[in-house]
Amino acid sequence: MAISVVEGGFDGYHNYYVPEEFFTADPEKGALYLRDGERAAKVSESFINGLHLGMEEEVGDSAGLLMYRCGHQWALRDMKRFSERMRHEFGGGKTDIWQMNRRFVLETWWWPLIIQGFGDWRLNTSFENHGLIVVELRNSAIAQSMELAGKPVCHMYAGLFAGVFSFLDKAERGGIEIQCYAMGNDVCKFLIGSQKQVNAVEFWRKEGANAKEIMEKLL
C-alpha cells in the first residue's frame, strides 16, 4: 500500500544498509545515537561475557531469568517506539502495525538489530497452527562472546522474542532457547508459544531432549 506524503507518509528513503547510515556520533557529548534519535552504546564481547558471568556469580541460576526479563521489557519498550515509527513512516499516521503485513513488520523491526550486531534471524511461522513460532539466530552477540557452556545462554534473546510477539499478539507469550551456539550448534534456535508450551519445553530440555526431539513432542 503506497502512502502519499500529503497523507503523512515519509518521502523516499526508508531503509539503511551500513552503519554510517544508522549511527550518528556526537563527539562533544561523547554520545552515540540511532537513526531515530534513540541513545545507543557500543560494547565489546568482553563486556557481554563479563556481564553474564558477573550476574551468575551474584544470583546463581536466577541470572538466566533476570536476563530473560530484561529482554522482555526491552522488547515491550522498543515495540511501542517502533510501532509509532511504523504508523507514521508506512501508515500515513493512520494505519497501525496490526493492520500491516506481519512479516513486513517483523523484518523491518529486526533489520536495524542486524546492523547493531545482534545477529541474523530466520523466522519460521509454519507452526502457527500449533501456536508456535520458531526463530533461528546466527551470530548471536551473547553466544559468540561466551565459551562453550554446554547449555543455552541466550536468555535475553528468548525474552526479547517473547516480548515482541506478546506485543503483536496482544496476549502474553513465552520464549525459550532449545539449541545454542554455546552448545556447539551452528545456530541458536528459539520457540515462542504459550507459557504452558514453554514450561513443557523447559522440562524436556532439562531432561536432555534436543531441539529435534522437542519439536516432535510439541507437534
Side-chain angles (χ1 to χ4, degrees), residues 188-206:
C188 300
K189 185 176 287 188
F190 304 83
L191 291 180
I192 298 92
S194 68
Q195 195 57 53
K196 182 179 179 180
Q197 289 170 314
V198 168
N199 291 342
V201 171
E202 185 175 17
F203 173 78
W204 296 327
R205 193 182 67 179
K206 287 181 178 179

Side-chain angles (χ1 to χ4, degrees), residues 49-104:
N49 182 270
L51 173 65
H52 282 74
L53 293 179
M55 289 181 65
E56 286 185 1
E57 185 174 329
E58 288 295 322
V59 299
D61 292 339
S62 297
L65 178 59
L66 185 57
M67 291 304 297
Y68 178 94
R69 288 298 178 191
C70 287
H72 192 275
Q73 290 301 308
W74 169 30
L76 295 180
R77 180 178 181 274
D78 192 50
M79 287 303 288
K80 288 180 181 178
R81 178 176 63 90
F82 172 74
S83 64
E84 188 65 14
R85 171 200 148 194
M86 290 291 286
R87 186 168 69 86
H88 288 286
E89 185 169 348
F90 294 101
K94 303 173 183 177
T95 304
D96 291 319
I97 58 173
W98 294 278
Q99 299 167 277
M100 299 179 188
N101 180 279
R102 188 180 175 96
R103 173 74 68 167
F104 169 72

Side-chain angles (χ1 to χ4, degrees), residues 129-177:
N129 59 322
H130 294 279
L132 293 168
I133 301 291
V134 179
V135 178
E136 290 186 2
L137 180 71
R138 291 187 180 275
N139 304 318
S140 161
I142 294 173
Q144 289 197 322
S145 72
M146 309 285 281
E147 295 182 2
L148 287 179
K151 61 180 181 179
V153 298
C154 302
H155 308 293
M156 187 185 71
Y157 282 97
L160 179 68
F161 298 140
V164 166
F165 284 97
S166 293
F167 186 88
L168 289 176
D169 294 343
K170 297 183 179 180
E172 188 61 35
R173 304 275 268 165
I176 189 168
E177 187 177 20

